[in-house]
Amino acid sequence: MMTQIDARGLACPQPVIMTKKAIEASNEPVVAIVDNETAKENIIKLAKSMNCEYRDYKKDGLFHIEISKGELPEEAAVLESEVDFQNGDTVILVQSDKFGLGGDELGAVLIRNFIYTLTESESYPKAVLFVNGGVKLTTENEHTVENLKILEGAGVKIISCGTCLDFFGLKEKLSVGGIGNMYDMVENMKAAGNTITIG
């Protein structure tokens, strides 16, 4: 029996996350149906990263990707466990309420998707630190606030820079996590196995 994932019309990264969950939930083959080339390529990358067999074809204008779960080689399994360990010691520094340069509207969508994808990852970061315009994500942005609350509920430290909140007049609007100072930021980054900077 084949599990079907209908991800037509869904924005990135939802098709990939839905497919990943379906693969993990069962040993049966999975077919993901998407309506754009980018989503198809992302799901194929997922299948490769999970050491699955796949085939793709187009039917009625839609992309179908059939995926069969494979066995992880012993070496790959070891590498995966090492990555999980490192991720658990990771701190993410968010410097802006946008992701990347080039288009503010696009950047706002990308940072929202990034925070959402963090909630769907297998290994959460140790802490997410917000500085400068990044504090708008813990105050004004209802989409990111809800997903950050999920991370906080799972034990991830959510810290917003107090000076930055004051600068933007947002301290009273803080909706998730706590207020920190630069010492907190530095100590968290020093204690981290890896710091990823976003924004």
Side-chain angles (χ1 to χ4, degrees):
M1 184 176 179
M2 185 170 289
T3 302
Q4 180 172 303
I5 302 298
D6 187 349
R8 290 176 290 179
L10 299 180
C12 172
Q14 286 179 289
V16 170
I17 289 172
M18 290 170 64
T19 304
K20 184 172 184 291
K21 286 182 175 179
I23 295 170
E24 292 173 340
S26 171
N27 287 323
E28 300 298 325
V30 172
V31 57
I33 303 173
V34 294
D35 56 7
N36 64 85
E37 184 80 23
T38 300
K40 183 199 80 172
E41 293 301 325
N42 286 337
I43 290 172
I44 289 175
K45 287 179 184 175
L46 170 72
K48 290 179 179 177
S49 73
M50 297 180 76
N51 198 39
C52 294
E53 297 178 354
Y54 71 92
R55 75 180 186 101
D56 65 285
Y57 56 92
K58 203 167 184 180
K59 181 180 177 182
D60 298 329
L62 299 171
F63 298 98
H64 291 62
I65 308 99
E66 291 183 3
I67 302 169
S68 299
K69 188 182 285 186
E71 295 293 330
L72 273 178
E74 186 174 342
E75 182 180 352
V78 170
L79 288 173
E80 189 174 72
S81 66
E82 289 175 351
V83 169
D84 285 344
F85 173 77
Q86 291 169 357
N87 286 349
D89 201 24
T90 294
V91 167
I92 298 176
L93 178 67
V94 182
Q95 301 180 115
S96 169
D97 60 337
K98 312 289 189 306
F99 194 132
L101 303 173
D104 285 351
E105 186 176 348
L106 174 61
V109 171
L110 294 179
I111 195 71
R112 189 171 67 204
N113 288 347
F114 175 79
I115 299 293
Y116 166 71
T117 304
L118 279 181
T119 69
E120 296 291 336
S121 62
E122 293 179 358
S123 179
Y124 288 164
K126 184 177 182 180
V128 186
L129 314 176
F130 295 87
V131 298
N132 211 320
V135 299
K136 295 177 183 177
L137 301 173
T138 60
T139 53
E140 296 181 324
N141 192 319
E142 62 182 22
H143 299 290
T144 53
V145 165
E146 289 307 309
N147 285 315
L148 289 170
K149 284 180 178 177
I150 293 173
L151 294 176
E152 185 179 40
V156 178
K157 289 194 286 186
I158 307 295
I159 302 175
S160 293
C161 162
T163 301
C164 309
L165 289 168
D166 284 336
F167 180 85
F168 291 108
L170 292 173
K171 186 171 284 185
E172 301 303 319
K173 293 183 178 180
L174 185 66
S175 299
V176 59
I179 299 174
N181 53 41
M182 194 53 70
Y183 177 81
D184 297 323
M185 304 291 174
V186 170
E187 288 301 306
N188 272 282
M189 287 190 283
K190 283 171 59 181
N194 183 35
T195 297
I196 299 172
T197 301
I198 301 296

